[in-house]
Amino acid sequence: MLHLTWLRVAVFTILLGATALAAAQANLEINTPAVAAIQKSMQDRHAQLLPLYSSGAVGLTRDGGVALRDANAVPLAQRAQVNALIAAESQDRAALYREIARANARPEWESDIRATFAQRWIDKAQPGWYYQNAGGAWVRK
Amino acid sequence: MRCAFAAAALSAVAAAACAAAFLEHARELSVTIGDLETPALSARAVSLKFSGTGFRALTLDIDRVSMAGRDWRKVRLTCPDFIAAGERITCSQGVLHLDGQIPVSFTYTTGSGDFTVELKPDADETWRIAGRIAGGKTTLQVKLDQARLTRLASWLPPSESKITAGRASGTIDVQGTGVTAHLQIDDVAFADTGGLHAGEKIGGTLNVEAAQKGADWRWSLSAEWRRGEVFWQPFFLAATGQRLRVQGASSGANTSFRDGVLELQGIGTIDFNAQLNHSKAELETLQVRSSRLRVPALYEQVLKPLLQQTSLSDLRTEGEATVALTVAAASIASVDLELHDVSLEDQQQRRFALYGANGRIPWRREAASAGEFVFKSAEFLKVPIGGVRIPFRLRSNGVGVTSVRVPILDGALQLRDFAAGTTDDGWRWRFTGELEPISMVQLTRAMGMPEMHGSLSGVIPEVRYRRQTLAMDGTLVVGVFDGMVRASKVEFIEPFGRAPRFHADIDMKALDLELLTRTFDFGTITGRLDARVSGLELVDWQPVRFDARLESSDGNYPKRISQRAVQNISALGGAGAAAAIQRSFLRFFDQFGYQKIGLSCHLNNAVCEMDGVERAPQGYVIVKGGGIPAISVIGYNRYVSWRELVERLKRITQENVKPIVK
């Protein structure tokens, strides 16, 4: 019954592998050229976003992005630019989660990484900033 | 003493002035009128009270007034100087208690039905209404002076946007079923809750003529926008004296717009007709045709705010364009764009430019069409591009070009069978082509790179872009430094993303080392070089992984290396990786012979694992001497941080460090 023995070994190995996998944690601080490039781009934009977070014009979304909450807080002439800033920031954040998942060699972890980051951004937000709660409603921190 | 008079439902307001019985000796006289109902107005629990000397102080109380779908509760009008003499009723110092106290004066002549009402809600604000109540011949003239528009906000049909400030002055005339208005508005502000549609400090003029025919209204409108700004997602517009003229007809179900003309100052005019469905809140049909629009003004006033944070946000533009668009069954049916001598230039960064563009782009939703795009010259990354004529075929969701030749410097890029289209997963395109030899000297000079000799040419096998990945089948061949460079397995993931990833295998054969080293100011090496870079992976243009091996080519040819090149190669090996150079020997010779040069780097995790031609005690041979005088360079560091290696290369090639010979 060589076959059966082999099968047992194989199943055992797979189970062991799966356990090891479940125990594994994504390294969110991983640094690769791609992650560095995205972080640099986000840092360069942060100074422009800061007053928008403070005024409540832009808030942190529950899926780890940013969104326009109340454009009335922004002078008319700058509203188009706020849209562009939000689009660029959202694109960078999505790319960041994808790259961290890739760098961990676990592309399928992207949505978990996104969720973890969403909570991190909210935890790190300054008092007065707005974020979306689990139901999607805006909450002032 | 009280006198009660009840009327359940009087047919007209005029009836409010109906007879009131009073007694001469009474001090106060109360008249309970009850409810008033007219088609336009209803008032519940109306009562009048006359008091004071000669009963000249009037107090009118209405529990609830309903007009045009709006209700007011506990409305009171007081008038200390009420005079009813003959047919004429006057009140010159009345006060209307309605959302605050509003001074009011009015006159009414019972026989003719003439009346005037003047309200002064604020010191500088007057609403004067004069007219005659006479059934179908009712006339009304409203004269506004600095009237606050916010008072009208609740009268307007419910919509997302609310008027939050603004004043109007002018006249509104009502003659039977016709209405004429001439208004000047100022400091108008409106906004919706999200702020995506908003305007501020808007000023201008508005003229409307409207007449009711049966259930429909026919109207014409002309307006001029002189001051203020509007953000209407995603557009931002500031007033420049834009004018709008349009006629139309409105029924309950829809509004049609005819002979609309929008004059955009400095840009041009746009003619339009449209049909709007009220219940679906959508444009069922629309025909728009522009005059020749001046592109610079169009770009500055309309497009630039839209293009913030893109590579098109800082253009210098020239030329004219016409646009025509039709909407049928609530979706776009055709777009026609014509360009007339249009030029674009990336002002600050000078990444691209396009000069003298002309073209016709006719897009049809339901049919294929043919168009043409021509430009006199262009520039991309400072490389000049010659005139191009591109005939193309358009489909509803794609474009195809059979063949186009793009002159680049002294050569050209020949593109064939270009096809692009949109699918569910985004844009896709493909082409094949070839490069007619382009002088590398001219190309590198134009791009501000170290001058390289040779020429760039080659066959471009099929290039495909889909799912944000650009991939090339086959091998791209480039002739440079008198040798050949072949690139295969080229894949470019998210080329337009924040961190583009580039994969390729690159094979270089018999590059002329003398041309190469001269170009990069490395000292001189005579000979030929082969290089193979397999599994090259760049992320954001930074190498992440590769397996590279540089090696002098096989064959018989002069193999000389200059003293400086020896120093530089040694420096590349790193501190402590001193060459097995007989230093005293170096002093006497400028050039040495070599048998073989070789260096390999296996890059992974930002560390380069290095090797050479062959092993040496505690190291590896990079340059193996041969001939007279011979020299060998030996590296001792097997693992070098990639960053450190790049720094060393930079120091050598850029800072032009002179070798120090001890």
Side-chain angles (χ1 to χ4, degrees):
Chain A
M1 293 281 101
L2 191 67
H3 281 95
L4 263 177
T5 318
W6 178 85
L7 192 68
R8 272 191 207 121
V9 171
V11 168
F12 181 69
T13 314
I14 290 166
L15 281 176
L16 195 71
T19 321
L21 204 151
Q25 286 240 323
N27 175 9
L28 300 181
E29 315 301 335
I30 200 157
N31 192 13
T32 67
V35 170
I38 298 163
Q39 282 176 340
K40 164 103 178 37
S41 160
M42 288 170 66
Q43 270 161 20
D44 292 348
R45 192 180 303 107
H46 189 64
Q48 288 173 277
L49 281 169
L50 207 56
L52 299 171
Y53 292 137
S54 305
S55 69
V58 175
L60 306 169
T61 61
R62 56 182 162 165
D63 63 353
V66 294
L68 189 66
R69 194 191 70 86
D70 181 12
N72 284 311
V74 182
L76 283 187
Q78 287 161 32
R79 285 187 201 177
Q81 177 153 16
V82 171
N83 280 325
L85 278 171
I86 289 170
E89 178 72 8
S90 301
Q91 203 187 340
D92 276 3
R93 287 183 175 211
L96 179 71
Y97 309 143
R98 194 164 58 238
E99 286 301 336
I100 289 176
R102 258 186 206 156
N104 278 281
R106 293 281 177 209
E108 69 279 11
W109 285 0
E110 187 182 328
S111 62
D112 293 334
I113 290 169
R114 175 183 279 274
T116 309
F117 265 91
Q119 196 51 50
R120 273 196 179 188
W121 296 125
I122 293 168
D123 293 344
K124 278 165 67 181
Q126 291 173 16
W129 292 12
Y130 283 85
Y131 66 92
Q132 273 178 337
N133 64 16
W138 290 110
V139 180
R140 192 157 190 258
K141 186 165 170 175
Chain B
M1 176 60 80
R2 297 191 137 236
C3 173
F5 181 92
L10 292 180
S11 63
V13 183
C18 73
F22 59 90
L23 298 171
E24 266 175 41
H25 58 271
R27 282 218 183 136
E28 188 182 290
L29 177 66
S30 293
V31 183
T32 304
I33 299 175
D35 298 345
L36 285 171
E37 292 283 351
T38 77
L41 180 143
S42 83
R44 308 226 167 257
V46 182
S47 65
L48 278 170
K49 189 172 76 185
F50 297 91
S51 57
T53 318
F55 298 107
R56 288 181 58 186
L58 166 77
T59 305
L60 170 71
D61 277 303
I62 308 175
D63 190 52
R64 196 173 91 194
V65 179
S66 302
M67 193 157 107
R70 211 190 149 189
D71 281 0
W72 289 270
R73 292 193 172 272
K74 305 277 178 222
V75 177
R76 166 173 280 193
L77 174 71
T78 56
C79 189
D81 61 347
F82 181 77
I83 300 170
E87 290 191 326
R88 197 171 159 80
I89 295 168
T90 62
C91 165
S92 60
Q93 291 174 44
V95 175
L96 183 64
H97 302 255
L98 177 106
D99 306 335
Q101 297 190 9
I102 301 169
V104 61
S105 62
F106 61 85
T107 64
Y108 180 66
T109 310
T110 50
S112 63
D114 289 341
F115 74 93
T116 62
V117 179
E118 192 175 289
L119 298 159
K120 285 187 78 67
D122 222 327
D124 61 348
E125 180 183 10
T126 311
W127 300 62
R128 192 181 146 81
I129 305 160
R132 169 176 293 183
I133 295 167
K137 288 182 179 170
T138 297
T139 63
L140 210 62
Q141 189 182 49
V142 182
K143 196 162 184 297
L144 304 176
D145 189 14
Q146 303 282 334
R148 308 299 199 265
L149 289 172
T150 45
R151 300 189 203 285
L152 295 176
S154 57
W155 296 77
L156 297 173
S159 75
E160 291 273 305
S161 297
K162 287 223 166 4
I163 292 179
T164 53
R167 291 164 177 244
S169 298
T171 57
I172 302 168
D173 280 300
V174 181
Q175 299 266 357
T177 57
V179 180
T180 310
H182 301 285
L183 295 172
Q184 181 167 340
I185 57 168
D186 249 311
D187 281 326
V188 175
F190 70 90
D192 64 4
T193 45
L196 299 180
H197 307 99
E200 282 170 9
K201 297 197 167 63
I202 295 168
T205 55
L206 182 70
N207 298 298
V208 182
E209 276 182 45
Q212 197 174 15
K213 288 232 167 83
D216 294 358
W217 282 88
R218 291 183 181 275
W219 50 265
S220 71
L221 177 151
S222 72
E224 184 175 343
W225 182 25
R226 292 192 184 137
R227 289 171 294 279
E229 43 197 33
V230 168
F231 178 72
W232 197 271
Q233 170 92 329
F235 295 97
F236 170 78
L237 288 174
T240 55
Q242 292 94 332
R243 288 200 195 101
L244 172 70
R245 291 193 307 274
V246 61
Q247 305 180 35
S250 298
S251 68
N254 51 52
T255 293
S256 61
F257 300 85
R258 282 184 298 112
D259 303 331
V261 180
L262 180 61
E263 286 176 35
L264 302 172
Q265 257 48 30
I267 299 176
T269 60
I270 294 171
D271 295 345
F272 66 94
N273 289 290
Q275 174 104 6
L276 180 75
N277 182 314
H278 294 170
S279 59
K280 291 185 193 159
E282 66 182 23
L283 272 176
E284 281 179 335
T285 65
L286 172 69
Q287 294 93 42
V288 174
R289 175 165 287 281
S290 80
S291 67
R292 282 198 175 200
L293 304 178
R294 283 176 282 281
V295 172
L298 179 70
Y299 174 74
E300 291 296 330
Q301 291 179 32
V302 183
L303 303 176
K304 195 173 178 175
L306 281 183
L307 298 166
Q308 296 291 309
Q309 309 261 324
T310 74
S311 49
L312 301 175
S313 63
D314 180 36
L315 299 182
R316 190 192 65 75
T317 58
E318 249 175 42
E320 294 179 337
T322 59
V323 186
L325 180 143
T326 61
V327 169
S331 68
I332 297 174
S334 73
V335 178
D336 284 90
L337 177 66
E338 277 177 31
L339 304 177
H340 308 278
D341 293 319
V342 172
S343 296
L344 313 171
E345 244 178 9
D346 184 25
Q347 289 197 104
Q348 292 293 315
Q349 302 191 49
R350 300 203 62 81
R351 290 164 295 188
F352 56 87
L354 183 72
Y355 302 103
N358 282 279
R360 212 161 32 77
I361 302 164
W363 179 86
R364 302 286 174 272
R365 187 178 60 200
E366 302 293 350
S369 59
E372 190 177 61
F373 181 69
V374 181
F375 61 84
K376 290 200 176 80
S377 67
E379 210 179 277
F380 185 69
L381 300 175
K382 294 184 179 141
V383 176
I385 293 168
V388 175
R389 173 176 295 271
I390 310 170
F392 57 84
R393 302 173 308 280
L394 269 181
R395 285 172 293 110
S396 62
N397 61 347
V399 59
V401 181
T402 310
S403 168
V404 60
R405 187 175 177 277
V406 184
I408 302 170
L409 294 165
D410 57 341
L413 169 66
Q414 179 79 50
L415 290 177
R416 284 198 193 88
D417 302 323
F418 175 84
T422 52
T423 57
D424 293 342
D425 51 10
W427 274 94
R428 283 180 180 208
W429 41 265
R430 58 171 295 280
F431 65 87
T432 63
E434 61 192 50
L435 277 170
E436 295 170 20
I438 298 167
S439 151
M440 281 298 285
V441 173
Q442 290 188 33
L443 185 67
T444 48
R445 203 182 281 161
M447 294 176 83
M449 289 164 67
E451 203 171 287
M452 296 184 204
H453 293 261
S455 70
L456 181 69
S457 65
V459 172
I460 303 168
E462 186 176 47
V463 175
R464 280 175 285 112
Y465 177 80
R466 58 182 237 183
R467 291 194 189 129
Q468 300 182 25
T469 300
L470 186 84
M472 194 176 78
D473 284 346
T475 306
L476 179 70
V477 183
V478 178
V480 69
F481 296 119
D482 202 30
M484 288 302 237
V485 177
R486 289 186 169 77
S488 57
K489 295 187 188 165
V490 175
E491 199 180 41
F492 203 2
I493 302 164
E494 294 171 25
F496 309 110
R498 185 66 60 202
R501 309 170 87 82
F502 180 83
H503 296 227
D505 282 353
I506 294 170
D507 205 2
M508 300 173 227
K509 278 273 185 290
L511 303 189
D512 185 327
L513 265 170
E514 204 174 330
L515 290 176
L516 190 72
T517 48
R518 201 195 300 156
T519 302
F520 293 103
D521 204 10
F522 194 81
T524 312
I525 306 176
T526 313
R528 295 268 164 183
L529 177 80
D530 293 348
R532 179 161 180 81
V533 184
S534 49
L536 172 65
E537 189 180 332
L538 304 178
V539 176
D540 193 32
W541 303 111
Q542 301 294 313
V544 180
R545 210 165 285 122
F546 63 71
D547 216 337
R549 177 153 193 83
L550 286 74
E551 204 166 28
S552 46
S553 313
D554 290 337
N556 273 327
Y557 47 84
K559 294 173 182 169
R560 310 290 297 173
I561 182 166
S562 75
Q563 190 192 77
R564 213 181 125 212
V566 168
Q567 287 288 346
N568 285 338
I569 290 177
S570 310
L572 209 54
I581 304 168
Q582 283 129 6
R583 300 188 187 281
S584 56
F585 205 61
L586 255 175
R587 251 180 234 159
F588 301 109
F589 301 98
D590 278 345
Q591 288 213 330
F592 307 91
Y594 68 87
Q595 192 190 325
K596 231 174 169 187
I597 297 179
L599 187 64
S600 69
C601 163
H602 173 73
L603 178 70
N604 197 17
N605 283 332
V607 173
C608 181
E609 183 188 347
M610 297 176 87
D611 208 344
V613 183
E614 59 188 47
R615 306 218 155 226
Q618 289 127 36
Y620 49 93
V621 178
I622 302 172
V623 179
K624 188 178 183 186
I628 300 170
I631 194 161
S632 291
V633 179
I634 297 176
Y636 294 103
N637 282 6
R638 275 210 180 269
Y639 298 93
V640 182
S641 128
W642 175 252
R643 189 179 296 189
E644 173 62 27
L645 197 64
V646 171
E647 283 304 312
R648 286 179 200 163
L649 255 176
K650 268 191 200 155
R651 273 201 296 275
I652 291 165
T653 59
Q654 287 180 359
E655 293 176 16
N656 205 2
V657 177
K658 293 278 176 271
I660 300 157
V661 180
K662 289 175 187 168

